[in-house]
Amino acid sequence: MRDVIVVGAGPAGSRYARQAASDGHDVLVFEQGEIGEPLACSGHVSTDVLEFVPPEDRDQLHQNEIHGARFHLGGPDSRAYPFYKDAVISHVIDRVELDKVLARAASEAGAEVRDEHTVTDVAERTDCVVVTVSGPDGVETHRARMVAGCDGPQSRVRDAVSLPDPAELLHGVLGFDDDPDGGDFVDVHLTVPRFFAWRIPRGDAGVEYGLAVPPGEAASERFETFTDSYGVKTDRRCSGLIPIGPPESVTSDRAFLLGDAAAQTKPFTGGGIRYGMTAADHAAREIDPADPATLADYERAWRRDLGREIRLGTWVRRGYSLPRPIQRVGLGLFAGEIGVHMDEPSSLFSRAQLRALLSR
């Protein structure tokens, strides 16, 4: 009988496993393929994300530093509205290596991490959960006091324990050009329905291009049009679903969700690395695997911390669909130096942002 079985070794799953194992819990982690593969997430993250990474591993993740973003209402040649800071706003990191580093940190903390193991069923019982896994040696059955569903937007754990789905799933596409680009601005194009497209310089690692759209909006075709506008052909491409809008509950009798499985993401960018790892820390602090009643403490804690930012992020995203004349006025008024944090929409109302506006 394990204390917790973690399904999924992405950032949220590995972070929870590391923290729970450090607290003395018996943790077993399953990842269905090779850790970090296939890539389905951007490597553009806030500076806070590196705080979750062991200090000795941070340099190996580094690809570039970002000081601002240029917003466009058209293609690359359209007017750019710059938003920037003198300080570093965000980092571009090796996204695949991030997963590997975090999984290794979980293992070093005492968690048992097994890749190439696919969870095929989760059954909640009165005193435990029974997890069925298909691995290199065949089908295995494991028992634990609780199970953590950290297995992405189409979570098998979420379905198995009948928890509700996220409010929305977007279709994201990423592609990469290997030509080095050490620029320190990302480009954001409000040219796709209900979301945006982006270009991120990755230093010597090249350039990342991407976009996300609602289902049925021909993501691949729109991506081709977008990269053609920049005159590039990406030689690597990946895609995935982006969950937006957490369900009313992310816990059941003996199961809890983290990260993309719980739609703990930013509605205005789709990014969820920091939010998922923040929620993982709350889960490690609040949940006692021997006491299912503590799952309610986790629900309250993560929503108290992240709920306001997610709600405000929903309002920010609505600006992507405003009529073009209103967007032009808004971008023109607010372009310039900023005092906001890229993960915290509430910082739009901060003293730092007010000082930045008044200093223009």
Side-chain angles (χ1 to χ4, degrees):
M1 176 76 76
R2 305 277 186 161
D3 287 325
V4 185
I5 290 175
V6 178
V7 183
S14 289
R15 177 65 180 184
Y16 171 76
R18 178 187 179 188
Q19 299 302 92
S22 295
D23 289 340
H25 295 303
D26 184 356
V27 181
L28 175 60
V29 183
F30 292 120
E31 172 61 39
Q32 69 174 0
E34 179 182 347
I35 291 172
E37 301 284 355
L39 174 67
C41 175
S42 175
H44 182 219
V45 300
S46 69
T47 55
D48 294 342
V49 165
L50 292 183
E51 296 176 7
F52 295 87
V53 176
E56 64 272 17
D57 293 317
R58 293 172 186 171
D59 286 346
Q60 73 185 73
L61 299 180
H62 174 79
Q63 292 180 334
N64 200 11
E65 293 180 342
I66 301 299
H67 284 79
R70 293 181 290 257
F71 281 77
H72 304 261
L73 298 178
D77 295 328
S78 64
R79 177 182 174 182
Y81 299 85
F83 293 75
Y84 60 88
K85 286 183 178 180
D86 289 335
V88 174
I89 290 178
S90 56
H91 294 286
V92 184
I93 61 171
D94 185 331
R95 183 63 185 81
V96 171
E97 191 63 24
L98 174 68
D99 280 11
K100 296 181 185 296
V101 163
L102 294 175
R104 184 166 61 248
S107 180
E108 291 172 352
E112 182 178 349
V113 181
R114 302 183 189 177
D115 58 4
E116 306 295 345
H117 282 72
T118 301
V119 170
T120 58
D121 191 35
V122 176
E124 290 183 294
R125 297 184 179 173
T126 303
D127 60 343
C128 69
V129 288
V130 179
V131 179
T132 304
V133 185
S134 177
D137 298 323
V139 176
E140 308 168 1
T141 300
H142 298 266
R143 300 160 72 89
R145 292 178 173 85
M146 287 190 182
V147 61
C150 313
D151 48 342
Q154 295 179 302
S155 168
R156 188 178 295 272
V157 174
R158 187 179 67 221
D159 291 345
V161 300
S162 300
L163 285 171
D165 293 334
E168 181 182 10
L169 289 174
L170 300 178
H171 183 189
V173 180
L174 295 177
F176 300 90
D177 175 18
D178 290 332
D179 288 340
D181 188 332
D184 62 353
F185 271 66
V186 302
D187 287 281
V188 177
H189 296 263
L190 303 180
T191 53
V192 298
R194 292 164 50 193
F195 215 68
F196 61 87
W198 62 87
R199 180 188 185 276
I200 301 172
R202 302 168 65 225
D204 290 340
V207 180
E208 173 189 313
Y209 295 87
L211 59 75
V213 292
E217 289 290 349
S220 293
E221 290 82 352
R222 289 183 180 276
F223 182 80
E224 290 285 355
T225 300
F226 176 57
T227 54
D228 285 348
S229 72
Y230 272 98
V232 299
K233 293 293 183 183
T234 55
D235 58 0
R236 288 169 291 131
R237 188 182 300 186
C238 56
S239 65
L241 296 175
I242 301 172
I244 302 291
E248 293 182 2
S249 176
V250 298
T251 60
S252 62
D253 293 337
R254 289 186 174 271
F256 59 97
L257 306 179
L258 286 169
D260 282 1
Q264 290 162 337
T265 61
K266 297 179 286 185
F268 56 103
T269 70
I273 295 175
R274 182 190 170 210
Y275 281 17
M277 291 196 289
T278 298
D281 282 357
H282 285 302
R285 282 192 294 266
E286 302 293 341
I287 296 173
D288 177 357
D291 183 4
T294 59
L295 289 168
D297 299 329
Y298 160 61
E299 283 270 23
R300 284 190 292 269
W302 84 262
R303 292 182 190 276
R304 184 168 55 245
D305 190 359
L306 299 174
R308 180 179 180 226
E309 302 297 346
I310 291 174
R311 289 191 297 273
L312 288 172
T314 300
W315 282 98
V316 171
R317 183 183 165 198
R318 290 175 181 171
Y320 304 163
S321 300
L322 291 173
R324 282 286 187 265
I326 296 177
Q327 289 180 329
R328 290 191 189 95
V329 171
L331 290 171
L333 285 174
F334 291 102
E337 187 173 359
I338 58 173
V340 301
H341 188 292
M342 69 175 282
D343 286 341
E344 300 172 3
S346 61
S347 62
L348 288 167
F349 311 103
S350 66
R351 291 181 179 178
Q353 174 63 3
L354 180 60
R355 285 195 297 270
L357 289 173
L358 294 178
S359 67
R360 295 175 186 172

